[in-house]
């Protein structure tokens, strides 16, 4: 009898990372990491110049891994975190929030998913569920569905539903929300003085709705919440990730720590220390997206940490199970890959125009 294939990674330390790289071809070291057990790759516009090139790259990623892996990309709509042509130019989350139609949001997200599957991506780092409370916030401006927690909850749930119905895993971000913080975490650490009571009435409402709807992945925010954990940014906080997200909200999917190379984290912590601390806090997968020189030291630090007993073994195995489940979910074999001509097709352009026309 043939032995059934397994998705269990060879190297469980590599399985706890999601990595990005520069260039439009899969680097040999990254291909080796995939072969050994790396569970995910993050892609950006810098990684391709054509739809054909992107499909070739995602195909190479799958071939190097030899098993289901997460291939994630930012496609929020709008301009700042949206894919350029030939992908359809979708309305922003802010526009969709103003329209307030769950049906349109789900349709747009479903069409986004179809285009992403056409180029071999299986995770979209969306919906963004941060509330747009501060009009000058560099994080939420044009990227948030709005300031009303219930509206953002409804729009986020519809977006999540549309992506998954279209065959792409959704990733709710940035937990527990940026509140009215005014600093861009790419540059430095934002601080939000909200209490847990305030968070439960506002920032946590969209995430609670997403968790209830079954969102498979949640990405953390690099933000300090001194009223809740005065010592650790949310991405490194066991109070935020384990107590609040895992137990209070009962989330049992994959927790992703946003890029540990962002200024909010990197200005205080080295990549190795940050990776250890975020995994200890309850993160399943740590992301390193822009600084390749930090990747090997971070992996080595986590490997040493595991050898030294810095991680709870039961929690480690639970994380591996969640990651394995997400990887299996990401490859929806019953949905054939759409043709590349789906990108920017007439039907999708007409949907985008119809949504924008409703706003006039």
């Amino acid at each position: 009898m043939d032995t059934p294939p397994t998705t269990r990674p060879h190297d469980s330390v590599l399985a706890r990372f999601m990595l990005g790289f520069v260039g439009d071809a899969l680097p040999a070291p990254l291909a080796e990491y995939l072969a050994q057990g790396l569970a995910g790759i993050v892609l950006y516009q810098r990684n391709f110049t054509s739809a054909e090139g992107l499909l070739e790259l995602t195909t190479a990623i799958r071939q190097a891994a030899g098993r289901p892996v997460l291939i994630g990309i930012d496609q929020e709509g709008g301009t700042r975190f949206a894919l350029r042509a030939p992908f359809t130019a979708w309305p922003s989350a802010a526009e969709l929030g103003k329209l307030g139609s769950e049906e349109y949001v789900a349709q747009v997200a479903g069409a986004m998913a179809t285009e992403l599957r056409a180029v071999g991506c299986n995770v979209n780092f969306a919906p963004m569920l941060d509330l747009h409370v501060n009009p000058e916030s560099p994080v939420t401006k044009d990227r948030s569905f709005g300031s009303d927690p219930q509206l953002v909850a409804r729009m986020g749930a519809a977006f999540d539903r549309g992506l998954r119905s279209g065959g792409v895993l959704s990733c709710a971000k940035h937990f527990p929300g940026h509140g009215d913080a005014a600093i861009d975490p790419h540059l430095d650490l934002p601080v939000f003085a909200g209490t847990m009571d305030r968070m439960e009435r506002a920032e946590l409402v969209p995430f609670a709705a997403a968790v209830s709807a079954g969102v498979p992945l949640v990405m953390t925010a690099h933000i300090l919440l001194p009223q809740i954990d005065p010592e650790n940014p949310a991405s490194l906080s066991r109070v935020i990730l384990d107590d609040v997200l895992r137990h209070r909200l009962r989330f049992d999917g994959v927790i992703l720590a946003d890029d540990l190379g962002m200024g909010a984290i990197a200005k205080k912590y080295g990549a190795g220390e940050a990776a250890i601390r975020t995994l200890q806090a309850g993160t399943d997968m740590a992301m390193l997206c822009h600084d390749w020189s930090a990747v090997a030291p971070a992996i080595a630090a986590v490997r040493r940490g595991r050898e030294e007993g810095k991680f709870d073994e039961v929690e480690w195995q639970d994380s591996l199970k969640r990651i394995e489940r997400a990887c299996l979910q990401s490859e929806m074999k019953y949905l054939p890959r759409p043709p590349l001509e789906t990108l920017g097709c007439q039907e999708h352009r007409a949907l985008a125009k119809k949504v924008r026309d409703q706003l006039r």
Side-chain angles (χ1 to χ4, degrees):
M1 181 181 295
D2 292 336
T3 302
T6 178
T7 58
R8 178 67 67 184
H10 309 293
D11 185 333
S12 72
V13 171
L14 285 173
R16 304 297 299 273
F17 285 88
M18 195 167 194
L19 303 177
F21 65 98
V22 176
D24 58 5
L26 184 64
L30 192 51
E32 183 61 26
Y33 280 152
L34 285 163
Q36 293 173 359
L38 181 70
I41 298 288
V42 185
L43 298 178
Y44 295 90
Q45 283 279 176
R46 70 187 183 201
N47 296 125
F48 60 94
T49 55
S50 67
E52 292 80 7
L54 179 53
L55 178 58
E56 289 178 10
L57 178 57
T58 57
T59 300
I61 290 168
R62 285 182 171 84
Q63 289 174 343
R67 66 186 192 287
V69 290
L70 304 178
I71 304 175
I73 200 163
D74 281 305
Q75 175 62 317
E76 297 178 10
T79 56
R80 189 175 170 200
F81 286 82
L83 297 173
R84 299 189 292 269
F87 291 90
T88 302
W90 297 108
S92 68
E95 291 175 305
L96 293 171
K98 287 177 183 175
L99 189 58
S101 167
E102 295 172 50
E103 180 181 355
Y104 277 135
V105 170
Q107 287 181 23
V108 166
M112 278 184 181
T114 302
E115 294 193 2
L116 291 179
R117 278 197 303 111
V119 293
C121 295
N122 56 27
V123 176
N124 187 7
F125 299 123
M128 178 170 147
L129 301 181
D130 304 72
L131 304 180
H132 185 49
V133 180
N134 181 348
E136 300 307 315
S137 168
V139 176
T140 60
K141 197 170 186 178
D142 297 325
R143 298 175 62 200
S144 169
F145 291 112
S147 60
D148 177 6
Q150 298 298 333
L151 170 69
V152 176
R154 288 194 299 107
M155 297 299 98
F159 200 99
D160 161 54
R161 185 168 63 251
L163 283 178
R164 287 195 283 153
S165 69
V168 166
L169 297 188
S170 52
C171 178
K173 62 184 185 185
H174 308 85
F175 186 84
H178 279 84
D180 54 8
I183 295 175
D184 187 337
H186 289 86
L187 306 176
D188 212 332
L189 181 64
V191 178
F192 174 46
T195 63
M196 182 57 76
D197 179 65
R198 148 75 187 257
M199 298 283 286
E200 288 184 327
R201 288 185 287 105
E203 279 74 19
L204 295 183
V205 171
F207 289 99
V211 170
S212 295
V215 69
L217 299 100
V218 170
M219 183 186 293
T220 63
H222 296 325
I223 185 170
L224 185 67
L225 301 139
Q227 297 292 326
I228 301 170
D229 184 344
E231 302 296 327
N232 304 292
S235 295
L236 313 183
S237 170
R238 193 163 180 89
V239 175
I240 298 295
L241 302 186
D242 193 61
D243 294 357
V244 179
L245 183 53
R246 281 280 181 236
H247 292 97
R248 192 175 296 218
L249 269 60
R250 300 187 178 182
F251 178 60
D252 191 38
V254 170
I255 298 176
L256 290 177
D258 204 351
D259 182 17
L260 297 177
M262 287 186 185
I265 299 296
K267 282 189 173 182
K268 183 174 181 181
Y269 306 97
E273 182 184 3
I276 288 173
R277 289 170 68 102
T278 193
L279 296 182
Q280 288 175 327
T283 292
D284 293 306
M285 298 178 70
M287 298 174 72
L288 286 167
C289 306
H290 300 289
D291 182 5
W292 184 256
S293 67
V295 169
I299 293 170
V302 172
R303 199 179 304 284
R304 284 194 305 272
R306 189 154 190 240
E307 291 169 355
E308 294 167 2
K310 292 183 178 179
F311 303 103
D312 180 277
E313 187 60 25
V314 173
E315 291 184 359
W316 187 277
Q317 296 301 326
D318 286 344
S319 280
L320 293 180
K321 290 174 185 175
R322 286 189 288 265
I323 294 164
E324 183 176 358
R325 184 175 66 211
C327 288
L328 289 171
Q329 289 174 341
S330 72
E331 295 297 313
M332 301 183 187
K333 301 296 187 185
Y334 61 89
L335 289 172
R337 185 182 65 78
L340 289 178
E341 290 75 22
T342 304
L343 276 63
C345 66
Q346 183 177 352
E347 179 185 351
H348 290 177
R349 286 185 285 111
L351 175 59
K353 182 179 183 302
K354 185 177 181 180
V355 171
R356 290 191 172 99
D357 287 346
Q358 296 290 319
L359 293 165
R360 290 175 182 168

